[in-house]
Amino acid sequence: MAQFTAPDAQVKIASSSPAYRSLDTEIQYVKGVGPRLAGALNKLDIFSVRDLLRHYPRRHEDRTHFARIASLNHGESATILGTVLSADNVKTRGSLVITKVAVDDGSGVIALTWFNQKWLKDKFIKLIGRRIVAFGTVQAGRWGVEMATPEWEVYEENADPLSSGRVVPVYPLTEGLFEDQLRKIIKGALDLYLPLVEEILPEELRDRLDLMDIQEAVRNIHFPESIEMMEAARKRLVFEELFLLQLALAIRKRSMDAPGVGISFAMPDNFAKELKEILPFELTNAQKRVVKEIAANMTRPQCMNRLLQGDVGSGKTVVALAAMLIAVRNGYQAALMAPTEILAEQHYLGITKMLGSLGVLDISVDLLKGSLRSKQRTEVIQRIASGQTKIAIGTHALIQEGVEFHKLGLVIVDEQHRFGVMQRAALMDKGLNPDMLVMTATPIPRTLTLTVYGDLDVSIIDELPPGRKKIRTHWKQYGERRKVYQALRTLIDQGRQAYVVCPLIEESEKLQVRAATDLAEFLQTEMFPDLKIGLLHGQMKTDDKDAMMTAFRAGEINILVSTTVIEVGVDVPNASVMVVEDADRFGLAQLHQLRGRVGRGEEQSFCVLICEGNSDDSIKRMQIMSSTCDGFVIAEEDLRLRGPGEFYGTRQSGVLDLGIADIFRDVPILEIARKEAFALVDKNSELRGEAFKALRRQLLRKYESFQLAVVS
Ligand code: ADP
Ligand code: MG
């Protein structure tokens, strides 16, 4: 690691002197930056030269050819080269000032326009008679052919123009930073620091897969010689990124797959019979298949690392129970970790109820949650430690210091996307290589499953329990709210219960609680004085939350006004109506999760999304929600609309930190990277040898939190 960290003091003395040049040079000491721009760059997560070189363009524009002004078409993007004829400031009605600059290229005249930048006029007056290059979108406007707010620069015959006459990078920006500034900064940094960028891919691999070397790739991703070179550069960088990720996953998987590391459970006698007695219903075919896959995995001597994927309401809990039964009947303990107390509570209630029906409740179940009083807590912890507890259910309280298991054999993590990889690992550390099952309610596009969970085997429940009716979803605007409430009243009169979900206010939990409280009060006093309205939010005391959920489950509450605390897992079959206020504040995945709270019983369920639909994006989301209940379709759309990094908070969990790869576009490269990575780890699990030295170091640097025990 030593050569990566440059001593700060030296950098400050002479960042441009070759002896002290380092990719770790702080961004403010880079030529053309300084403290003010450094602040802006920091907002883009650029702190060092290394980060700067890795700040890849969003896209490129081919400005290799100058278009003839006379043959421009409305709507096209074009680069023109012409002589400045005049510059004027023109007042418009709303006291706006438009700066209008006329440029002539011999074939015709174009008007370049800028809003509210009066000072530009003087700048262009000085340029009258000189040639400039401008790039922008062509419009047919009041002055004929126009370009609004184009990028431009003075045309210098011999200079290396960064913004014209070439394939030009377009970077993500932030306030106080402009494209041409950033281009200059990056170009300067490339000239100075590119020779320091280290090749990490072995030559053999690059030759075989026809991948550019790293310095050529970095240069061409920023300032490509041609579109073809840019594509080749991109391919190389995407490969590198996905290859590193897949290597990390392969190494993890390999260390867990080692035979003899895990527990070989035996299939309990009467397993099928006992399961049948416990469950109040017949398993669906998908559930049966998945239970078989899990059982087969648990009986093997390797550690189980399995992802159980199934849409909301597909019945993952009973599958978890089947797995826990195998562990318990082998004399081991099982732990089930849920992301919220409400959900842990619900699992506890459901599971004790089902086990109670066994007649003899010989499997003792305990609930460990943060809010237990210390006496209770101590008791539960003691029972877990002594082995008296067979099934421990809880929140992340389960992974806290002081919780020791007697003989933990199986760990189940529910609703995975709330937990990071590290939490998953912490719970596993409570046992000696226990088997692990990760349950996710969110269908993940297949491509992403490979990317994020490439170290896990996957089981999928692709069938809902019988008798479920498709939830009818309607999008309504604010003006129709009263009608919505009238419909709600009708359904409640028929004995149904409803959720009303309050607007999401991400900025402030306090405001969120306030909104929920106000809404509950409004519904109680103005709309439904004769009904029972309940309120549930994250800042309530746990006892109060429990009491509220219990009352709702028991049917004593007609309408539960709630924040997103009900998003995950809550299961009340009689609640068949959901109204979501300001629905466009939620992402698709979240709306799908919320909606999954209804449609759990025999009755027809309804979901009403209320919002105006002020942007294309929000209209699209409402349309998708109204047209499908298929979690996979929604997940794909969500990924497309939001971009992979934002997918279900995977960014926070630190797994999917992709800078250049695009999960959809780059599936072919992903598949090659995966194949190569797994093959390499099979052959050389510790990446020994000179050819892999740089690769190893980079892998550790990037995935240090990923517990790459083997490579160390
Ligand atoms: P999720 O996969 O969202 O966690 P749950 O495990 O909460 O789903 O199950 C949803 C509901 O479906 C529960 O009320 C559960 O009792 C019921 N259920 C699960 N499996 C079946 C089945 N095979 N037949 C009928 N109902 C089932
Ligand atoms: Mg669940």
Side-chain angles (χ1 to χ4, degrees):
M1 287 302 228
Q3 59 258 62
F4 283 103
T5 32
D8 270 0
Q10 293 180 347
V11 170
K12 276 169 205 163
I13 296 164
S15 64
S16 56
S17 145
Y20 301 119
R21 235 175 255 158
S22 153
L23 293 177
D24 287 315
T25 301
E26 275 176 56
I27 195 67
Q28 69 161 313
Y29 302 116
V30 170
K31 193 166 151 247
V33 180
R36 193 190 63 79
L37 278 183
L41 289 163
N42 289 167
K43 285 205 195 97
L44 293 167
D45 276 336
I46 300 173
F47 298 92
S48 65
V49 172
R50 187 190 308 281
D51 301 335
L52 182 68
L53 296 186
R54 230 183 266 148
H55 188 67
Y56 301 129
R58 286 188 280 136
R59 62 190 167 88
H60 288 84
E61 278 162 6
D62 189 351
R63 302 185 193 168
T64 37
H65 305 290
F66 298 119
R68 277 163 46 89
I69 291 174
S71 34
L72 291 175
N73 293 312
H74 178 78
E76 77 177 314
S77 302
T79 309
I80 55 110
L81 167 65
T83 308
V84 178
L85 294 182
S86 63
D88 298 290
N89 280 337
V90 185
K91 279 222 168 56
T92 67
R93 270 186 299 143
S95 78
L96 267 179
V97 174
I98 298 178
T99 304
K100 174 194 166 218
V101 175
V103 173
D104 183 351
D105 75 345
S107 77
V109 177
I110 190 168
L112 310 181
T113 59
W114 285 266
F115 284 94
N116 272 355
Q117 299 185 44
K118 280 190 223 165
W119 49 274
L120 273 175
K121 177 185 160 188
D122 292 338
K123 199 163 174 171
F124 278 105
I125 292 276
K126 292 192 192 109
L127 290 173
I128 287 178
R130 304 231 357 227
R131 295 213 287 173
I132 65 167
V133 170
F135 174 85
T137 306
V138 178
Q139 296 165 335
R142 58 198 278 206
W143 293 299
V145 190
E146 292 179 20
M147 235 182 228
T149 342
E151 283 184 38
W152 67 281
E153 64 185 14
V154 176
Y155 183 70
E156 315 267 7
E157 207 69 57
N158 294 318
D160 173 30
L162 293 180
S163 307
S164 62
R166 59 176 308 142
V167 181
V168 175
V170 181
Y171 293 102
L173 295 175
T174 183
E175 216 180 329
L177 188 67
F178 298 97
E179 282 294 348
D180 48 354
Q181 263 177 330
L182 188 53
R183 270 177 213 140
K184 269 197 202 112
I185 292 168
I186 290 183
K187 183 65 171 49
L190 280 172
D191 290 344
L192 218 54
Y193 297 93
L194 190 61
L196 298 182
V197 175
E198 190 185 28
E199 179 60 77
I200 62 165
L201 296 183
E203 199 175 344
E204 182 276 328
L205 184 71
R206 273 190 290 124
D207 284 350
R208 190 156 44 80
L209 299 177
D210 193 19
L211 298 170
M212 234 180 213
D213 79 60
I214 185 66
Q215 293 185 4
E216 201 181 2
V218 172
R219 190 158 42 84
N220 276 286
I221 198 67
H222 290 290
F223 293 98
E225 288 158 31
S226 64
I227 290 283
E228 293 73 35
M229 290 293 270
M230 188 272 290
E231 295 289 354
R234 187 175 180 281
K235 178 179 153 198
R236 142 79 209 217
L237 295 169
V238 168
F239 178 86
E240 175 177 315
E241 186 166 58
L242 295 174
F243 184 60
L244 280 171
L245 174 62
Q246 293 302 321
L247 271 179
L249 295 174
I251 289 167
R252 243 178 88 95
K253 184 165 167 57
R254 212 195 138 81
S255 68
M256 295 185 295
D257 278 356
V261 169
I263 305 161
S264 301
F265 292 97
M267 276 315 278
D269 303 333
N270 303 328
F271 174 68
K273 186 164 160 276
E274 196 172 33
L275 195 58
K276 228 185 171 121
E277 278 169 18
I278 294 175
L279 301 181
F281 39 67
E282 177 89 0
L283 288 179
T284 62
N285 285 331
Q287 284 169 323
K288 280 183 197 156
R289 172 172 43 76
V290 162
V291 168
K292 259 195 206 133
E293 286 167 8
I294 292 169
N297 204 165
M298 287 178 73
T299 54
R300 282 199 291 271
Q302 288 93 349
C303 273
M304 173 166 80
N305 277 283
R306 188 166 284 273
L307 179 73
L308 174 58
Q309 198 175 315
D311 209 344
V312 276
S314 62
K316 292 182 292 295
T317 314
V318 296
V319 172
L321 183 59
M324 292 195 282
L325 192 63
I326 296 176
V328 170
R329 289 301 182 225
N330 276 270
Y332 284 90
Q333 293 170 292
L336 173 57
M337 183 159 81
T340 65
E341 297 218 340
I342 290 176
L343 196 54
E345 182 95 19
Q346 179 181 291
H347 278 317
Y348 177 75
L349 291 174
I351 285 170
T352 45
K353 196 166 147 206
M354 284 189 264
L355 289 177
S357 68
L358 253 184
V360 274
L361 191 77
D362 70 330
I363 300 176
S364 71
V365 184
D366 272 302
L367 178 64
L368 185 65
K369 46 181 190 176
S371 61
L372 286 184
R373 270 172 270 285
S374 72
K375 183 160 169 287
Q376 278 175 298
R377 195 182 128 82
T378 316
E379 280 170 18
V380 172
I381 287 179
Q382 267 166 12
R383 279 203 296 274
I384 293 176
S386 73
Q388 201 182 332
T389 303
K390 298 297 181 231
I391 293 178
I393 297 174
T395 55
H396 50 264
L398 277 178
I399 56 173
Q400 269 152 19
E401 200 102 353
V403 181
E404 301 293 339
F405 283 80
H406 176 64
K407 200 180 174 194
L408 181 60
L410 174 69
V411 168
I412 299 180
V413 183
D414 194 10
E415 317 289 354
Q416 154 70 10
H417 68 272
R418 291 282 174 118
F419 292 111
V421 194
M422 297 315 289
Q423 280 162 307
R424 208 163 86 191
L427 187 52
M428 288 186 69
D429 284 347
K430 300 271 173 195
L432 195 66
N433 297 316
D435 277 1
M436 187 185 66
L437 185 67
V438 174
M439 304 199 288
T440 171
T442 324
I444 297 171
R446 223 189 92 73
T447 51
L448 203 62
T449 311
L450 275 190
T451 317
V452 189
Y453 299 117
D455 56 334
L456 306 182
D457 295 313
V458 180
S459 287
I460 300 177
I461 308 183
D462 50 5
E463 182 188 354
L464 292 181
R468 294 281 172 79
K469 294 198 179 73
K470 215 175 136 189
I471 302 163
R472 286 206 203 127
T473 303
H474 303 282
W475 168 28
K476 299 284 177 199
Q477 295 187 312
Y478 293 128
E480 300 166 281
R481 193 185 264 127
R482 292 216 167 232
K483 266 200 254 161
V484 172
Y485 290 144
Q486 277 161 17
L488 192 59
R489 150 90 56 188
T490 312
L491 288 162
I492 288 169
D493 286 346
Q494 293 167 9
R496 304 283 82 77
Q497 288 168 278
Y499 299 100
V500 174
V501 180
C502 318
L504 178 72
I505 305 172
E506 276 179 341
E507 301 83 344
S508 153
E509 171 133 28
K510 244 203 197 123
L511 281 179
Q512 168 100 56
V513 168
R514 179 71 190 278
T517 314
D518 289 352
L519 183 59
E521 205 170 293
F522 166 78
L523 291 177
Q524 184 73 78
T525 55
E526 306 285 320
M527 298 306 306
F528 306 107
D530 54 323
L531 297 180
K532 278 270 197 191
I533 312 286
L535 174 63
L536 190 72
H537 60 70
Q539 293 205 329
M540 283 162 63
K541 290 212 192 69
T542 309
D543 286 351
D544 298 340
K545 269 194 272 185
D546 286 352
M548 186 53 73
M549 275 318 289
T550 309
F552 189 61
R553 240 179 237 124
E556 289 157 18
I557 305 268
N558 305 106
I559 299 176
L560 184 63
V561 176
S562 170
T563 58
T564 48
V565 289
I566 56 144
E567 176 189 351
V568 189
V570 170
D571 183 37
V572 180
N574 192 50
S576 58
V577 192
M578 171 171 288
V579 178
V580 183
E581 297 279 344
D582 285 359
D584 55 357
R585 291 202 176 214
F586 299 93
L588 273 177
Q590 204 171 14
L591 285 173
H592 180 63
Q593 286 296 322
L594 283 169
R595 183 172 61 180
R597 300 311 112 219
V598 297
R600 299 183 152 245
E602 307 283 293
E603 302 296 329
Q604 174 62 54
S605 289
F606 298 91
C607 175
V608 183
L609 307 171
I610 299 183
C611 70
E612 286 303 298
N614 285 327
S615 69
D616 288 354
D617 186 66
S618 63
I619 293 172
K620 187 96 210 287
R621 272 180 284 149
M622 295 310 120
Q623 285 169 342
I624 293 166
M625 287 303 294
S626 312
S627 64
T628 182
C629 288
D630 184 329
F632 276 95
V633 173
I634 292 172
E636 301 270 352
E637 292 291 342
D638 196 32
L639 195 52
R640 231 184 296 274
L641 287 178
R642 299 212 291 175
E646 288 158 79
F647 199 73
Y648 311 130
T650 36
R651 178 172 295 186
Q652 290 92 298
S653 73
V655 197
L656 195 66
D657 181 22
L658 297 178
I660 188 165
D662 174 320
I663 297 301
F664 273 105
R665 194 169 145 188
D666 296 321
V667 173
I669 304 180
L670 171 65
E671 274 160 8
I672 298 170
R674 183 170 172 80
K675 205 179 106 229
E676 291 289 340
F678 277 73
L680 175 58
V681 171
D682 269 346
K683 246 191 355 230
N684 179 358
S685 65
E686 290 169 39
L687 307 186
R688 252 184 258 119
E690 197 57 32
F692 303 108
K693 214 168 134 193
L695 180 63
R696 236 172 96 120
R697 201 163 42 212
Q698 179 65 10
L699 191 62
L700 283 171
R701 166 209 274 292
K702 183 146 188 201
Y703 292 101
E704 57 183 335
S705 61
F706 209 61
Q707 298 202 320
L708 296 179
V710 182
V711 186
S712 52

